[in-house]
Amino acid sequence: MSNITKQQVLDGFYFRAATRRYDPLKRVSREDFEYILELARLSPSSVGSEPWKFLVLQNPELRQQLKPVSWGMATQLDDASYLLVILAKKNARYDSDFFRQGLLRRGLNPEQISKTLARYQQFQATDIDVLDSERALFDWTSKQTYIALANMMSGAALIGIDSCPIEGFNYAEVNRILAENGAFDAEEWGVSVMVTFGYRAKAPNAKYRKPIEDVVTWIE
Ligand SMILES: Cc1cc2nc3c(=O)[nH]c(=O)nc-3n(C[C@H](O)[C@H](O)[C@H](O)COP(=O)(O)O)c2cc1C
């Protein structure tokens, strides 16, 4: 790790910019995109739940179907090398099969599973208070997916690949179109956010950020 300098990482963060137009002649290689997907897979998630799936949406007809309901990526869809739809798990309750399977995969025995699930119950019911609605629970899993989103965009920027995170779409319509086309089971999964990858067609706008003292408070 020590061979990466802070300046190199900062340069990557300055380089990253929400890219609205991609170069149609430059494609991100499959190998580089697999590196980006690996960054998603390695991302942390609350209680190690990994409540995500990543749909690499390359089918041109399906991309066209999304266009009219996705204003936020209308200028990108034709030229993006990759369109990634990030799904979040629905109904990820502590007592769901989803959680039980996760703990089994980690090699816990039945007694350890019961204890862990009891802790998750307390966590979900009281601490983060997400059990009173399906929406709250879905928002909790969606939050985890944004960590993978950020890691992919940062890791892409560090090797000179551009991206744009996408919330600019009609969620109900995108969910419907993808589910109707068999992309996922809408009972189990929902679209959390999307992201495109490619190489920028032109220099981005100047970066605007609030000064550090406006966003950081030190309490000593
Ligand atoms: C979760 C999220 C969703 C976004 N959705 C869109 C979008 O749909 N379309 C778009 O062009 N930009 C989108 N953006 C990009 C932001 O407008 C952009 O990140 C912000 O203006 C800061 O600019 P920068 O990323 O170039 O530094 C989104 C950003 C985030 C983090």
Side-chain angles (χ1 to χ4, degrees):
M1 282 298 107
S2 55
N3 56 351
I4 304 172
T5 67
K6 284 181 282 187
Q7 194 55 52
Q8 283 171 326
V9 176
L10 278 171
D11 286 348
F13 275 64
Y14 277 109
F15 168 82
R16 191 210 54 74
T19 300
R20 276 63 186 241
R21 287 193 189 274
Y22 291 109
D23 184 340
L25 302 175
K26 255 179 113 182
R27 314 297 297 174
V28 173
S29 73
R30 172 81 180 231
E31 187 194 342
D32 282 351
F33 192 61
E34 282 174 2
Y35 147 84
I36 291 169
L37 291 173
E38 183 66 352
L39 302 180
R41 192 180 71 92
L42 292 173
S43 295
S45 55
S46 186
V47 300
S49 49
E50 301 174 66
W52 46 49
K53 275 194 190 290
F54 303 94
L55 291 180
V56 187
L57 215 165
Q58 299 304 80
N59 181 287
E61 290 89 49
L62 210 41
R63 279 195 187 188
Q64 287 310 314
Q65 279 189 52
L66 295 185
K67 226 183 203 176
V69 293
S70 310
W71 54 269
M73 59 179 178
T75 58
Q76 304 160 33
L77 260 177
D78 291 336
D79 299 324
S81 300
Y82 294 95
L83 165 61
L84 193 65
V85 181
I86 306 183
L87 304 178
K89 184 75 183 80
K90 285 184 176 169
N91 304 312
R93 285 174 54 97
Y94 67 91
D95 54 357
S96 65
D97 197 47
F98 172 77
F99 265 112
R100 194 168 292 277
Q101 292 302 329
L103 297 179
L104 279 173
R105 255 198 319 278
R106 282 192 248 163
L108 271 64
N109 65 36
E111 194 190 332
Q112 291 168 319
I113 290 181
S114 298
K115 271 197 188 145
T116 307
L117 292 180
R119 271 209 313 276
Y120 289 176
Q121 176 178 21
Q122 150 99 23
F123 174 58
Q124 287 191 333
T126 310
D127 299 334
I128 57 167
D129 189 18
V130 292
L131 286 187
D132 59 342
S133 78
E134 278 188 22
R135 179 61 192 249
L137 204 48
F138 182 72
D139 285 345
W140 175 65
T141 54
S142 290
K143 280 199 259 181
Q144 316 310 318
T145 69
Y146 278 63
I147 301 170
L149 168 72
N151 284 342
M152 284 189 281
M153 295 192 299
S154 302
L158 285 165
I159 62 164
I161 292 175
D162 289 302
S163 60
C164 188
I166 310 287
E167 278 181 344
F169 58 92
N170 184 297
Y171 276 69
E173 281 298 294
V174 168
N175 272 290
R176 184 187 62 74
I177 292 166
L178 294 177
E180 276 180 13
N181 280 276
F184 60 86
D185 178 356
E187 290 289 307
E188 299 290 328
W189 300 93
V191 176
S192 164
V193 64
M194 300 199 262
V195 53
T196 55
F197 293 94
Y199 290 102
R200 63 188 65 178
K202 61 178 181 68
N205 300 332
K207 214 170 205 36
Y208 171 78
R209 287 296 186 274
K210 294 176 184 171
I212 195 89
E213 57 274 17
D214 284 10
V215 294
V216 177
T217 303
W218 290 65
I219 301 171
E220 289 173 316

